[in-house]
Amino acid sequence: MSKVTPATRALTAAGVAFTVHTYDYDPDAESIGLQAAAALGEDPARVLKTLMALVDSKPVCVVVPSDQEVSMKKLAAAAGGKSAQMMKPPEAERVTGYKVGGISPFGQRKQVGTVIEQSALAHDLVYLNGGQRGLQVRMKPTDVRDVLKAVVADVLA
């Protein structure tokens, strides 16, 4: 597995500190984020999942703890829209340039607006997908926010 992806290149270019962590990806896992947290031996609240949604038909990236669900109503409000829905996997892959299970908020084909769940900022370090299945990057949540110019909001269901 290559540890250099568009995501890690974007983080390096942004000049933020991060470490790369690999784990055995299970394509049959019920929850990719929870499986990653278990494989890394981490609290699921510190392992963030990257989801792609449509807010008023525009792509939006949303980053939340892997053990939580997103409120579409709260996401729409945070992104300044009226309605939100999850993006279908083939569309998420086309928009981001990553495969489902390996979607990172960093280094996407076209950077879209990002909303990060406010509770993620309570941790010293968090994990996010590094741009391929079985690859996570660990970094400060404030760096995640700053690099992505993310809106911080309560988006949990």
Side-chain angles (χ1 to χ4, degrees), residues 93-123:
E93 291 179 349
R94 182 183 57 76
V95 168
T96 64
Y98 294 118
K99 295 280 184 210
V100 168
I103 294 178
S104 177
F106 309 107
Q108 293 187 1
R109 187 172 282 152
K110 178 182 173 211
Q111 196 60 54
V112 299
T114 302
V115 177
I116 185 170
E117 163 51 37
Q118 65 188 13
S119 64
L121 273 70
H123 303 282

Side-chain angles (χ1 to χ4, degrees), residues 36-123:
L40 293 165
E42 286 292 340
D43 177 349
R46 287 183 34 166
V47 179
L48 308 181
K49 59 185 174 183
T50 304
L51 304 171
M52 298 302 294
L54 293 169
V55 174
D56 295 346
S57 302
K58 292 190 177 97
V60 172
C61 180
V62 58
V63 178
V64 297
S66 60
D67 60 347
Q68 299 292 324
E69 297 300 321
V70 176
S71 161
M72 291 297 126
K73 187 175 181 179
K74 289 180 180 179
L75 174 60
K82 290 183 172 60
S83 67
Q85 65 187 49
M86 292 306 299
M87 198 180 280
K88 297 205 177 337
E91 188 176 2
E93 291 179 349
R94 182 183 57 76
V95 168
T96 64
Y98 294 118
K99 295 280 184 210
V100 168
I103 294 178
S104 177
F106 309 107
Q108 293 187 1
R109 187 172 282 152
K110 178 182 173 211
Q111 196 60 54
V112 299
T114 302
V115 177
I116 185 170
E117 163 51 37
Q118 65 188 13
S119 64
L121 273 70
H123 303 282

Side-chain angles (χ1 to χ4, degrees), residues 1 23-36 39 93 99-102 132-134:
M1 169 188 309
Y23 67 96
D24 290 329
Y25 173 80
D26 178 0
D28 299 320
E30 193 172 310
S31 166
I32 294 166
L34 292 178
Q35 189 259 324
E93 291 179 349
K99 295 280 184 210
V100 168
Q132 70 182 220
R133 295 168 176 164

Side-chain angles (χ1 to χ4, degrees), residues 19-21 23 36 40 47-48 127-130 134-138:
T19 55
V20 175
H21 303 265
Y23 67 96
L40 293 165
V47 179
L48 308 181
Y127 292 80
L128 296 97
N129 197 291
L135 184 73
Q136 296 275 313
V137 291
R138 185 177 72 179

